[in-house]
Amino acid sequence: MDISPKITECEEYKILSTHLANPEKTDAILEQLTTCAKFSLSNDKLESHLLELWNSILHLSSQQPHSSNQQDSMVKLLQALVTDAPSLKDTNGKEVEVDGSKVWRGLPLFGQQARECWNFPDDKKVDTKIRDAWINVNAFVARLTAAAVNEHGGERPGYNALDHSLYGIWSLRNAVEEELENLPGKTTVDASVGAAAVWILYAGRTLKGLSDSDKTYSGKVAKPGFKCKDQEWRGYNKDRWQLWTKELAKAKSLVQDDSIQDLVKQAMEIMKQ
């Protein structure tokens, strides 16, 4: 994961940390974030501000246990940014866009920043700290996706900016469509399988709905992993969901940590429903 620890020094991180301590004061946090955005716009630093804001959110989410109330609070804050925060306007009264998306409705650059930290170091051994951070950030993005897409695979009106279902494919592909035995170290295996499990745990119904509705993506971004290389999958489908169900059960036997084994067990129960 590429999240610099220096992010904890920025103003955006401090604002968000305050929110986690007082999650009921959402309106006040939205006002603070809007004030920061206006200031950065006037100094031609809006993009930098947004990247630091999103990086702060991703870092904080990686440090909060996946089942915690703090993760719920972060999801609700992003939902509020999309639907409740006043749009940012320039001196001419025009809504400001960054990279083709409106601030705040489109959460511009959030997906780009999430992609930057979506580089799990599966080519080397990881420690439990990195393992847990990887599982936590996967759970957070899964929660966002479940807030954006219903159990039938349809978008919830107004929340399309929170849909990162493609990342679910990436995490499940790494865990059950590749050769886990080739990963360097048991903790690395636990991290990969645990990340897949929390996607099912927090967005399983959504992913099943996307599978039933054959959700596809352009190009080869959702291509199958090595064990399924002969398939022509380009997204979610029923056959892929069935394979995930079978292979996740097999992957459980490779997991060492008891708590992650329990996550996988919970995920398997959801997939059987």
Side-chain angles (χ1 to χ4, degrees):
M1 290 177 61
D2 297 329
I3 302 178
S4 170
K6 290 185 177 180
I7 196 66
T8 60
E9 301 170 6
C10 76
E11 184 64 24
E12 292 83 357
Y13 184 91
K14 295 173 183 176
I15 291 173
L16 292 167
S17 296
T18 300
H19 173 67
L20 288 183
N22 301 280
E24 70 280 358
K25 297 183 178 180
T26 302
D27 290 344
I29 297 298
L30 293 181
E31 186 176 343
Q32 281 184 274
L33 293 178
T34 298
T35 299
C36 284
K38 288 179 179 178
F39 181 76
S40 63
L41 178 63
S42 67
N43 289 280
D44 198 27
K45 294 181 178 180
L46 180 58
E47 287 196 20
S48 296
H49 161 67
L50 290 173
L51 290 174
E52 289 191 336
L53 175 62
W54 306 144
N55 210 7
S56 295
I57 286 177
L58 290 163
H59 179 71
L60 278 166
S61 70
S62 75
Q63 302 305 303
Q64 312 304 315
H66 60 83
S67 59
S68 66
N69 291 332
Q70 286 86 349
Q71 283 225 1
D72 281 334
S73 296
M74 297 292 281
V75 170
K76 290 175 181 176
L77 177 62
L78 277 179
Q79 288 180 288
L81 267 176
V82 169
T83 58
D84 299 338
S87 58
L88 187 65
K89 296 182 179 179
D90 60 22
T91 53
N92 297 317
K94 182 180 178 181
E95 287 189 73
V96 175
E97 293 188 3
V98 175
D99 199 31
S101 296
K102 293 180 179 179
V103 183
W104 295 98
R105 194 185 317 161
L107 300 182
L109 304 181
F110 179 80
Q112 174 183 319
Q113 197 58 37
R115 183 66 186 91
E116 286 296 314
C117 81
W118 218 260
N119 295 310
F120 178 66
D122 57 6
D123 59 340
K124 59 184 179 182
K125 293 182 180 180
V126 301
D127 57 24
T128 55
K129 183 178 180 180
I130 293 177
R131 177 201 69 190
D132 292 346
W134 180 239
I135 291 173
N136 291 339
V137 79
N138 269 271
F140 176 66
V141 177
R143 287 172 179 268
L144 292 179
T145 300
V149 183
N150 63 35
E151 62 185 19
H152 303 295
E155 289 186 355
R156 303 184 197 276
Y159 287 121
N160 63 304
L162 302 178
D163 178 8
H164 292 84
S165 50
L166 175 60
Y167 291 40
I169 285 185
W170 292 344
S171 290
L172 280 150
R173 180 174 65 196
N174 288 343
V176 300
E177 295 180 9
E178 304 290 356
E179 299 289 352
L180 283 176
E181 293 83 354
N182 294 333
L183 292 180
K186 296 299 183 182
T187 307
T188 310
V189 171
D190 285 5
S192 183
V193 177
V198 292
W199 267 97
I200 302 300
L201 191 60
Y202 295 106
R205 293 182 184 276
T206 290
L207 303 192
K208 178 63 163 57
L210 291 169
S211 300
D212 289 342
S213 59
D214 292 322
K215 168 70 175 180
T216 59
Y217 303 85
S218 59
K220 296 184 178 181
V221 294
K223 66 182 181 181
F226 178 77
K227 292 195 294 186
C228 319
K229 61 182 183 297
D230 294 334
Q231 300 291 338
E232 297 183 358
W233 298 335
R234 293 296 179 263
Y236 289 91
N237 59 66
K238 293 178 181 178
D239 289 341
R240 198 170 201 175
W241 179 263
Q242 289 178 356
L243 178 131
W244 287 345
T245 303
K246 180 179 68 174
E247 293 297 326
L248 189 60
K250 292 180 181 179
K252 182 176 179 291
S253 64
L254 300 176
V255 172
Q256 297 296 299
D257 186 89
D258 289 343
S259 64
I260 298 176
Q261 280 220 6
D262 187 55
L263 281 180
V264 178
K265 182 178 179 181
Q266 293 178 58
M268 289 166 55
E269 290 299 320
I270 291 172
M271 298 185 88
K272 291 175 182 177
Q273 293 175 6

